[in-house]
Amino acid sequence: MTGPHESGTFAALRGQLQEAAATFAGGPDALEGILLGMVDDVDRAVREPLEIFPVCHHSPASATAMARRLREKQPRVVYLELCEDMAPLLTELRNCRLPVAVQAFAGDVDGFPPDWAPLSVVAPITEASAEYQAIAYALDTPGVELVLVDRSADHVFQWDTGGERTQEAAAEDTDPPAEAALHGEAVGVELGDLRPRFGELEEHLLRHGKVRHWSEWWHQFVEVPLGDSAADHDTYRQVMFLIGSLFRRLAPGDGARVRVDEDRERYMWTRMREHLTATGTDPADCLYVCGAFHAVSRVEEFGVHGTDTFTISPRTATTWQYGLIPSSHAAIEAQFGLAAGSVSIASTEWAKSLKRTRVQPFRLAGQAGTKKSTAKKAPAKASAAKARGRQAAVPAPESAAADRLSGFLRRPPVLDGLDEAELLGWSVDIVRAARRNGYLASTADAIAVFETSVLLAGMRDRAKPTPYDFQDAAVTCIEKDAVPGRRDVRRLVEIMMGGDRIGQVGYDALPPLARDVHDRLAPLGLKLQQRGVQRALLDTASRPELQACSDVLWMLRRLMPHGAARPIMGERRLGERSIQESWDLALGTHQRALIELGYEGVSIEQVLEQRLRRDAYGPQATTATVLAAVEDATLYLRSRRLADELGTHALKVLATERSVDGAPEVLRRVRGLLAYYRTSEPVLPSWIESFVKTGYAHYCTLLPVAFRDEDATVGQVAAMLGFLFSMESLALSLGCDRAQLELAVAQSHPEEPSKTALLWAAQVQLGTLSRAELRGRCDALLDNPLVVPAYPRYLSGFVHALEPVPALADVVVEAVSNAFGRLPDAVLLPWLPLLITTLRSGAAELAPLLIREAGRIFPGRLAALDAWIPPWRTPPAPPAAHRKQSGAHGRQGAALLPAHPATCDAVAELLGCTQGWTRADVPPPSGVGLLAVHPASCDAVADLLGCDGAWAASGSSPSGAALATRHPATAKALESLLTST
């Protein structure tokens, strides 16, 4: 198609392109339409009354041109392509060390799919970027207004079709370093995403440009020509317009992505016209900074005179939080699919460009890591007067923009001479860095890198080696076969070219929660904002004020990623506290995670309580999850109110569960909580009593099903039995019926061998199966050749049975010992590995109990093992022999009295006995004779029993039966007394 301004500024360029299209395509066709359409796009953008400044993200050429143009034009209003709701955060950039990212965060979504949460949008900002130059100029120049005109963070996800949420897929396939994860899974929004969307076009450009990736092509063919001091403002604009139009017209027909791009352009122009109308600002005093792709938009709303037909949809009810998070060059490269090291190289080129062009950049006053600017700021009114004076002396924009494209496209590339000093410095530095990292590099390698860089540049039609040429040469000459350290040569070159700079958010720019954490940890005396690991030592015995710091650190460990706060010495469990602790802290490294905590609340206690409630009341919450929340509430917050509330909720969750998957965790946590409350509280909380009572009935109901269920493991069933047996005394005191457990065990009929062994152990605990019968069943298993291969599984069940019935440890040791003692090697050796793996995988935590019992039973010395007889093989003594032996030694105790008369005399004197020793020739009286010898004792017993009868005549001593007949009252009293005791 033909543009509307054939006789205008670019008429000559149109004619040349028409001739070229006819020559290469053989006549008018689509190629001519594309080429002439590109010229029309450039012409339209150039003639727009509101000056459009096209940029590319993190481009040193764009940043240099932006700084130069801002000092020349000094606009009163700067429109910036950035999410409009991020504007209040930009003033906090002066409290940060770049690079940082402006973030919008939403933890709870309302109006979006729940599985999208949390939502996060980041906009990284580096010093070598055009957006930072515009922000610094607008914020530090009096009378200048900065207006963000791009869609809000809410609209980013409203218009999301899946492309932006997966744009990280363009990054390298290798695992990124830790610094590359600073943005997390946030959606990246950048100013000027300029890259071909047509894969074949990018492949063509890379192949003919003799480069490996897009970042290198852009540096060689755009950055270097436009970064030259000879490239004036008009040339820069027209070239960027042309590149944006080329990528736009050769984009594939992705309707959803094109629709989002065009809606963004309509959004931005609508916002700018609204601002112009509301403030009455002259478009000539404004500057619109946007990506080159959007600068050549063809929507009807384009320009200050465009149509007002676009309706901006309202935001959802989602509550957004805003803040600044640290960023890094690696994070920017990973998120936006740039080559590793490209942002660091761009930063180095930015510094070199400033020295070469002598352009004075804009920096925010008080910006960390920058020098103070000595340039005087001109007031906005004076700036506007100067701008109007220049515009009065220069023709209108329609006639001022001359054709600079024709000359630029015909101009041969500027061949910079080889800067030998710079290349030599690079070569020496990379050899020094390689030697420091374990490479066997020498001066000869430095020479080789120098010569190879020049050679590669010549092979790629370059007069001067680029940093990418030097990187390839260094890898070729130094790395060779292996990497001795953790950094390869390519990474060393990236570090040498500027390194992976990591930003930092200053204290004043942190959210209230993060500042509160720093304030509460101030007694530690550490530089918590510094990156890296720092050791903190806490002696709460000598410094009680450090106890508050310990509480904060334990909560941070619970809330933040692993490594942010890691305890080296000391622990915190229910009922236990360490008086000395040692911590490795890396809060500066994990600053992003700490900042995002500030989006959830104003204190870490509030955030922790919210997270505990979210875990306990979530749709996937289990009984074990809720009990874990109860434990954390008690451990970290010491909140009885919250613990009681969550414990009551655990009752409801337990009543709805129909599986036993969480039984082991439930048993472990309930035992811990019971032990804690019994030692620290006068009475048990009502919720835990109800939980034990409900759990007893619940697990009794599920027990028969669990024994038959193939999905229920033996460890889970053992945990159920452990809950029932260990909580039985408390449950029975609360009104539960033991018959329910006996009935549940009687109804259990497992088929799996390990569960069968577990059932036998439960029957032994209940008394329905004796130990002798259990030993007999184990012997029968070993006697049956068909069952022997499954014997390890029976042993696994017995080992798991130590959880509910720990008293069976000796039986388990006996069962294992019998297997090793009775089975031949041909049978024992094949299933021995199965036995070991079964015990290690299924009952590793119960092995210490088994080992202790074996150590108690087996002899302690190897020499005694041959003559040792196991206790279960020792034959029991016959009952008759036992009685005979008992009768033979029945008077051993009485024989001791005359053998040691002094002892007996001392005891008699202590008891007040004065009768003295009986004669040896007089036989001791029998039981009936003792009554007459000691009448006082008999009278006392008679009074106690209420007997009024007198003593019988001497010489007539009836037998026991006769006495019972003669004194029925006494017999009845003795019978009742014996029965009661």
Side-chain angles (χ1 to χ4, degrees):
M1 68 180 190
T2 305
H5 305 289
E6 292 189 0
S7 59
T9 304
F10 298 97
L13 181 58
R14 285 190 178 90
Q16 295 174 10
L17 293 178
Q18 280 181 323
E19 294 177 2
T23 302
F24 289 104
D29 61 352
L31 176 61
E32 180 181 353
I34 293 174
L35 295 177
L36 296 183
M38 291 165 52
V39 178
D40 292 339
D41 293 340
V42 175
D43 194 9
R44 183 186 186 189
V46 168
R47 293 178 179 275
E48 173 59 35
L50 195 158
E51 181 179 338
I52 304 173
F53 195 95
V55 298
C56 175
H57 62 70
H58 306 297
S59 167
S62 295
T64 304
M66 172 64 71
R68 183 188 296 118
R69 183 55 179 167
L70 289 173
R71 295 197 180 278
E72 292 175 356
K73 181 180 178 65
Q74 296 185 355
R76 296 177 56 190
V77 178
V78 177
Y79 297 113
L80 186 62
E81 179 195 339
L82 200 62
C83 295
E84 59 182 2
D85 50 343
M86 294 181 176
L89 287 175
L90 299 182
T91 57
E92 297 294 339
L93 288 175
R94 66 179 77 253
N95 297 318
C96 306
R97 179 183 293 110
L98 300 180
V100 296
V102 185
Q103 182 184 37
F105 183 90
D108 299 326
V109 297
D110 186 355
F112 299 106
D115 56 344
W116 283 18
L119 306 180
S120 180
V121 179
V122 296
I125 297 176
T126 63
E127 188 177 356
S129 59
E131 58 263 42
Y132 176 73
Q133 295 299 307
I135 293 170
Y137 163 78
L139 294 183
D140 280 357
T141 304
V144 176
E145 184 178 5
L146 177 65
V147 182
L148 306 186
V149 295
D150 200 2
R151 55 183 175 167
S152 65
D154 197 272
H155 287 91
V156 169
F157 292 96
Q158 282 190 37
W159 299 351
D160 181 23
T161 57
E164 292 184 352
R165 294 177 62 84
T166 58
Q167 60 178 293
E168 297 87 354
E172 296 181 354
D173 295 334
T174 58
D175 294 333
E179 293 78 5
L182 289 178
H183 296 172
E185 298 180 355
V187 172
V189 177
E190 281 219 70
L191 180 61
D193 182 13
L194 200 57
R195 184 168 184 168
R197 297 184 180 178
F198 190 37
E200 287 77 2
L201 173 61
E202 182 173 345
E203 181 182 355
H204 176 83
L205 294 176
L206 297 182
R207 183 174 64 253
H208 288 275
K210 299 180 181 179
V211 294
R212 291 178 291 111
H213 43 70
W214 174 251
S215 300
E216 186 176 359
W217 186 94
W218 181 267
H219 172 84
Q220 178 65 24
F221 296 99
V222 180
E223 286 292 331
V224 173
L226 290 182
D228 184 18
S229 58
D232 59 3
H233 174 63
D234 291 334
T235 303
Y236 168 84
R237 290 183 68 209
Q238 294 177 21
V239 170
M240 294 295 287
F241 287 147
L242 183 68
I243 296 174
S245 178
L246 171 66
F247 294 164
R248 191 181 187 99
R249 290 183 175 272
L250 293 184
D254 187 354
R257 188 169 185 180
V258 172
R259 178 185 59 79
V260 172
D261 289 333
E262 292 181 347
D263 284 347
R264 288 183 63 188
E265 292 152 6
R266 295 185 179 99
Y267 194 106
M268 290 187 285
W269 280 109
T270 301
R271 290 301 192 202
M272 285 187 283
R273 283 195 297 272
E274 291 176 354
H275 182 268
L276 291 174
T277 302
T279 60
T281 307
D282 186 357
D285 294 335
C286 304
L287 186 69
Y288 172 35
V289 183
C290 68
F293 188 89
H294 299 293
V296 289
S297 173
R298 299 191 299 272
V299 298
E300 296 180 356
E301 290 80 2
F302 178 87
V304 295
H305 301 299
T307 60
D308 290 325
T309 58
F310 182 70
T311 302
I312 297 176
S313 60
R315 301 182 187 180
T316 65
T318 300
T319 302
W320 290 88
Q321 306 286 337
Y322 301 92
L324 295 169
I325 63 172
S327 183
S328 68
H329 291 172
I332 297 172
E333 293 159 359
Q335 189 170 28
F336 297 96
L338 305 177
S342 59
V343 178
S344 298
I345 293 175
S347 179
T348 304
E349 293 296 320
W350 157 253
K352 292 168 57 178
S353 176
L354 294 180
K355 293 180 180 179
R356 183 178 65 253
T357 61
R358 299 185 181 276
V359 173
Q360 186 178 4
F362 290 94
R363 291 187 175 94
L364 288 171
Q367 182 77 59
T370 60
K371 298 180 181 179
K372 294 182 179 180
S373 177
T374 57
K376 296 182 179 179
K377 298 180 178 64
K381 294 182 180 179
S383 302
K386 290 181 180 180
R388 284 192 294 270
R390 287 193 304 270
Q391 292 166 4
V394 184
E398 286 77 3
S399 60
D403 180 10
R404 302 298 179 91
L405 275 178
S406 300
F408 182 84
L409 296 176
R410 289 196 302 263
R411 187 179 69 184
V414 179
L415 300 178
D416 293 340
L418 175 62
D419 190 347
E420 293 188 0
E422 180 185 55
L423 187 57
L424 280 174
W426 288 356
S427 302
V428 173
D429 290 342
I430 189 58
V431 169
R432 183 184 296 113
R435 290 177 63 86
R436 203 179 297 122
N437 284 269
Y439 289 91
L440 299 177
S442 63
T443 305
D445 293 311
I447 299 174
V449 172
F450 180 91
E451 297 295 340
T452 306
S453 300
V454 177
L455 178 63
L456 287 177
M459 294 173 60
R460 296 168 178 173
D461 297 332
R462 302 169 187 168
K464 178 183 178 181
T466 65
Y468 300 97
D469 298 328
F470 173 77
Q471 189 178 53
D472 293 340
V475 172
T476 303
C477 299
I478 298 178
E479 191 162 286
K480 299 180 178 69
D481 296 332
V483 178
R486 64 187 183 92
R487 292 191 180 100
D488 56 8
V489 175
R490 189 174 302 279
R491 177 61 180 154
L492 293 178
V493 174
E494 296 171 8
I495 296 174
M496 190 191 70
M497 289 293 177
D500 184 18
R501 297 183 184 177
I502 301 175
Q504 185 183 71
V505 180
Y507 175 86
D508 294 331
L510 292 174
L513 180 143
R515 294 200 299 269
D516 179 62
V517 168
H518 283 279
D519 294 341
R520 294 167 68 177
L521 295 180
L524 297 178
L526 301 177
K527 298 179 180 178
L528 298 177
Q529 287 191 295
Q530 180 178 333
R531 293 184 60 84
V533 179
Q534 302 179 70
R535 178 63 57 87
L537 302 175
L538 287 76
D539 186 1
T540 56
S542 60
R543 297 182 59 188
E545 68 274 9
L546 295 181
Q547 183 60 52
C549 296
S550 174
D551 296 339
V552 173
L553 292 177
W554 283 109
M555 284 187 282
L556 290 178
R557 179 179 179 268
R558 171 65 172 76
L559 295 172
M560 294 188 67
H562 175 73
R566 186 167 62 95
I568 303 300
M569 181 182 70
E571 61 181 354
R572 177 164 292 193
R573 295 186 298 179
L574 289 175
E576 297 182 11
R577 284 199 176 189
S578 303
I579 60 175
Q580 289 184 336
E581 296 177 0
S582 176
W583 291 80
D584 276 351
L585 302 180
L587 298 184
T589 304
H590 295 83
Q591 193 181 46
R592 168 180 169 264
L594 181 61
I595 291 173
E596 290 188 348
L597 283 181
Y599 300 154
E600 303 181 41
V602 295
S603 67
I604 52 177
E605 288 84 1
Q606 180 187 2
V607 174
L608 180 56
E609 181 173 345
Q610 290 176 354
R611 289 196 179 184
L612 293 178
R613 291 181 185 276
R614 184 175 60 194
D615 294 342
Y617 290 93
Q620 304 298 327
T622 62
T623 306
T625 305
V626 182
L627 291 177
V630 174
E631 184 175 340
D632 289 344
T634 305
L635 194 61
Y636 300 115
L637 298 177
R638 296 192 293 274
S639 174
R640 179 66 181 272
R641 171 192 55 81
L642 180 61
D644 291 347
E645 176 188 343
L646 298 179
T648 304
H649 180 65
L651 288 170
K652 302 177 182 178
V653 178
L654 178 66
T656 59
E657 285 187 348
R658 292 296 176 264
S659 67
V660 295
D661 296 342
E665 186 73 9
V666 170
L667 174 63
R668 184 178 67 84
R669 295 195 179 277
V670 167
R671 279 179 175 174
L673 289 169
L674 268 175
Y676 169 74
Y677 286 127
R678 280 171 172 167
T679 57
S680 62
E681 300 286 344
V683 294
L684 290 177
S686 58
W687 74 266
I688 201 167
E689 292 183 348
S690 302
F691 187 90
V692 171
K693 185 177 179 180
T694 304
Y696 189 86
H698 179 73
Y699 284 134
C700 284
T701 304
L702 295 182
L703 189 61
V705 179
F707 268 113
R708 299 277 298 181
D709 189 4
E710 296 180 356
D711 295 332
T713 64
V714 62
Q716 294 169 353
V717 180
M720 294 176 60
L721 290 173
F723 184 95
L724 294 172
F725 289 146
S726 61
M727 307 291 169
E728 184 178 16
S729 58
L730 178 59
L732 295 180
S733 67
L734 295 174
C736 294
D737 189 359
R738 194 169 192 265
Q740 189 176 6
L741 175 58
E742 295 175 349
L743 184 61
V745 172
Q747 292 176 344
S748 301
H749 304 286
E751 297 179 356
E752 208 272 331
S754 59
K755 293 183 180 179
T756 301
L758 190 61
L759 178 63
W760 292 347
Q763 292 173 348
V764 170
Q765 178 70 13
L766 291 176
T768 59
L769 183 69
S770 65
R771 285 173 170 259
E773 292 174 338
L774 179 61
R775 288 188 172 94
R777 292 183 181 183
C778 292
D779 293 338
L781 294 176
L782 289 175
D783 293 337
N784 190 345
L786 299 178
V787 182
V788 167
Y791 194 73
R793 298 167 67 184
Y794 282 96
L795 291 181
S796 176
F798 283 129
V799 174
H800 279 94
L802 297 180
E803 176 72 45
V805 192
L808 282 181
D810 57 338
V811 178
V812 179
V813 172
E814 177 183 346
V816 177
S817 302
N818 286 337
F820 281 90
R822 295 177 53 181
L823 294 178
D825 292 344
V827 178
L828 182 64
L829 293 179
W831 62 257
L832 187 59
L834 176 62
L835 171 64
I836 297 174
T837 56
T838 301
L839 294 179
R840 288 187 60 183
S841 62
E845 67 279 359
L846 299 173
L849 179 62
L850 193 63
I851 294 172
R852 286 196 301 270
E853 183 64 23
R856 187 185 65 84
I857 295 177
F858 285 88
R861 296 183 179 274
L862 184 61
L865 186 61
D866 294 336
W868 176 72
I869 299 177
W872 54 87
R873 291 188 180 179
T874 303
H882 179 72
R883 284 197 300 270
K884 181 179 180 180
Q885 182 180 10
S886 175
H889 300 280
R891 295 183 57 82
Q892 285 185 354
L896 286 174
L897 297 179
H900 302 279
T903 305
C904 187
D905 292 339
V907 174
E909 183 179 359
L910 179 66
L911 298 177
C913 298
T914 58
Q915 289 83 355
W917 290 88
T918 60
R919 292 171 55 185
D921 54 348
V922 179
S926 62
V928 177
L930 286 173
L931 300 179
V933 175
H934 303 283
S937 301
C938 186
D939 293 339
V941 173
D943 293 340
L944 179 65
L945 298 178
C947 299
D948 298 330
W951 285 93
S954 176
S956 61
S957 55
S959 64
L963 286 173
T965 305
R966 187 177 302 175
H967 305 283
T970 304
K972 185 176 296 184
L974 286 173
E975 181 181 1
S976 62
L977 180 63
L978 294 175
T979 303
S980 63
T981 56

